[in-house]
Amino acid sequence: VYTIPRVVCQRDGNCPLVVVGAGSLGQAFAGLLAHSGQPVLLLATPRTAQHLFEQRGVRLSGAVALHVPVALDPAPRGSITLATDARTIPAAAGVIFTTKGHQLAAASQAVQSAWRPTPEAWVAGVQNGLAKDDVLAEVFGPHRVVGGVTILGAQRGPHSVYIGSLGQTFFGEFDQTPSQRVRSAVAALEASGIPTEVAPSIHSVLWSKACNAAGVFGVSVLTRLSAQRMNGSPHLVRAYLALVRETAAIAHHLGVALGDYPGFPIQTYLDQPDEATVDYLTGAVRAHPLPPGQPETYPSMTQDLLAGRGLEVEDVFADLVRRGERAGMPVPRLRLVRDLLRGLDELQPSTARAR
Ligand SMILES: NC(=O)c1ccc[n+]([C@@H]2O[C@H](COP(=O)([O-])OP(=O)(O)OC[C@H]3O[C@@H](n4cnc5c(N)ncnc54)[C@H](OP(=O)(O)O)[C@@H]3O)[C@@H](O)[C@H]2O)c1
């Protein structure tokens, strides 16, 4: 099964996007891209490649309901080309890494050692946290790295990936210059039905999302509560905002302008009194209760905790603490959360197995 498929660029120069990591986000991105008729290569671990071949494709449920076949090269239009060997990556590809943050260094080194990219080839990561772009820049060189952020919400089940929301995805150059590679990536994802935009300042999106992630993960993981229960409690919304404000202070110190983005209007939360945000978030939960039978949704790090998987504590919290301390800021809340999560992470079955 694991011969090396040959995926080549088409004559018009339209190279397939490559998705590295066939988990929740990877299957969602690859499935939607292929379903829209675009070429896509999904690089999976052997165990997940085997699973996807056995179930004859990627199954997406929730916001979309799709069954997208997988095939070795040449995958027919509408199918995902599935591979386990990075030597299959086309020289002029755009490679989107969708591994967990703590898997990114190994995955990117495996790609780097096997891939002979052309000058226009690029890489991006959609992991939570700010560390991922440093990892990619170190492995591939800063000039190859496009900034990426997504809030598409996806969760892996035994037979399908449940998409809670297609969210919003952003790509942008770190030096803020308009570029063809960013426009092409945005056009490809948009054409696949994933709402995607060019970010005029990807730093602003990354840091605004980092503020939100610090608050959401800090509160939800430590309380083991769903997004609905967290946002429904005034006490927990205040705790969320305390972490948002401490993270935002680092961004301000570094001169990054935060903003309001779909799903995380961080600048508004910073500008208004905390009690206005408490009223807004708790009111939204009261006004839109989950329909009967619809499960509560858990932020991705809480899903990892409950499933016994490793936590992205180094990539999200330890990295923020390091950035804060480098800037001469004490960041006591972020440090407390980092230490509590490190303690929890040590007890996670998959972390213990990896040691
Ligand atoms: N899920 C979401 O809704 C969401 C939203 C926004 C951001 N994020 C962020 O996006 C990242 C990915 O999240 P996820 O939920 O998609 O994680 P996931 O379901 O755990 O998927 C990660 C995938 O990467 C694969 N992988 C690991 N090392 C690899 C390697 N060397 N080569 C190829 N594949 C490799 C894993 O293989 P196995 O299949 O063998 O485990 C797995 O399929 C995380 O940083 C997360 O915080 C997630």
Side-chain angles (χ1 to χ4, degrees):
V1 167
Y2 299 120
T3 58
I4 301 171
R6 271 178 320 102
V7 176
V8 291
C9 300
Q10 293 163 356
R11 277 199 199 83
D12 60 3
N14 183 17
C15 295
L17 282 176
V18 175
V19 177
V20 178
S24 318
L25 279 186
Q27 290 188 41
F29 280 163
L32 286 157
L33 282 162
H35 183 72
S36 67
Q38 302 182 72
V40 60
L41 171 67
L42 178 60
L43 201 72
T45 56
R47 136 187 115 106
T48 295
Q50 179 79 41
H51 171 72
L52 292 176
F53 277 121
E54 277 167 11
Q55 70 167 30
R56 297 178 191 285
V58 161
R59 291 170 201 273
L60 304 178
S61 60
V64 294
L66 291 179
H67 173 208
V68 187
V70 292
L72 297 176
D73 182 61
R77 196 179 155 85
S79 309
I80 297 167
T81 305
L82 188 61
T84 57
D85 189 321
R87 283 175 293 173
T88 54
I89 297 179
V95 181
I96 303 175
F97 285 88
T98 57
T99 64
K100 292 286 193 193
H102 47 261
Q103 300 163 331
L104 181 62
S108 54
Q109 276 153 13
V111 169
Q112 195 277 338
S113 63
W115 187 35
R116 298 288 165 266
T118 59
E120 65 271 23
W122 55 271
V123 299
V126 289
Q127 291 71 19
N128 272 304
L130 301 159
K132 45 113 181 168
D133 293 311
D134 292 346
V135 171
L136 292 174
E138 191 162 317
V139 173
F140 296 102
H143 62 290
R144 290 234 184 260
V145 184
V146 165
V149 172
T150 189
I151 58 161
L152 188 150
Q155 192 168 339
R156 226 179 342 173
H159 305 296
S160 73
V161 170
Y162 177 79
I163 300 187
S165 142
L166 290 167
Q168 192 73 23
T169 296
F170 305 82
F171 287 109
E173 297 289 349
F174 285 101
D175 67 2
Q176 305 193 8
T177 53
S179 75
Q180 185 52 41
R181 61 186 187 177
V182 165
R183 277 194 294 273
S184 311
V186 169
L189 265 66
E190 273 282 293
S192 75
I194 301 172
T196 307
E197 61 188 89
V198 177
S201 166
I202 196 70
H203 288 290
S204 173
V205 188
L206 281 160
W207 272 95
S208 300
K209 191 182 177 214
C211 290
N212 189 55
V216 167
F217 294 151
V219 175
S220 170
V221 174
L222 290 172
T223 57
R224 297 176 162 247
L225 291 176
S226 67
Q228 289 78 17
R229 287 185 194 271
M230 183 175 70
N231 287 336
S233 159
H235 311 295
L236 298 182
V237 173
R238 289 184 198 110
Y240 159 82
L241 289 168
L243 286 163
V244 167
R245 287 193 184 278
E246 195 166 283
T247 308
I250 310 173
H252 287 150
H253 185 91
L254 298 175
V256 177
L258 298 171
D260 283 343
Y261 299 97
F264 50 110
I266 293 299
Q267 192 56 49
T268 297
Y269 293 169
L270 294 170
D271 288 345
Q272 67 190 12
D274 281 359
E275 290 313 300
T277 307
V278 169
D279 289 347
Y280 167 70
L281 290 175
T282 56
V285 171
R286 274 196 307 278
H288 305 287
L290 283 176
Q294 188 164 321
E296 294 174 34
T297 53
Y298 289 83
S300 62
M301 203 187 284
T302 317
Q303 291 171 29
D304 291 336
L305 177 81
L306 299 176
R309 296 188 289 258
L311 306 179
E312 294 180 296
V313 54
E314 299 304 314
D315 312 275
V316 177
F317 288 96
D319 179 73
L320 283 174
V321 170
R322 260 192 305 278
R323 286 172 202 266
E325 289 178 345
R326 268 205 305 267
M329 305 170 79
V331 291
R333 296 178 182 117
L334 289 167
R335 198 192 313 201
L336 175 67
V337 174
R338 176 200 66 186
D339 292 342
L340 290 167
L341 294 186
R342 278 180 170 169
L344 281 177
D345 187 44
E346 269 181 359
L347 301 174
Q348 290 293 88
S350 61
T351 306
R353 268 200 306 279
R355 270 202 304 268

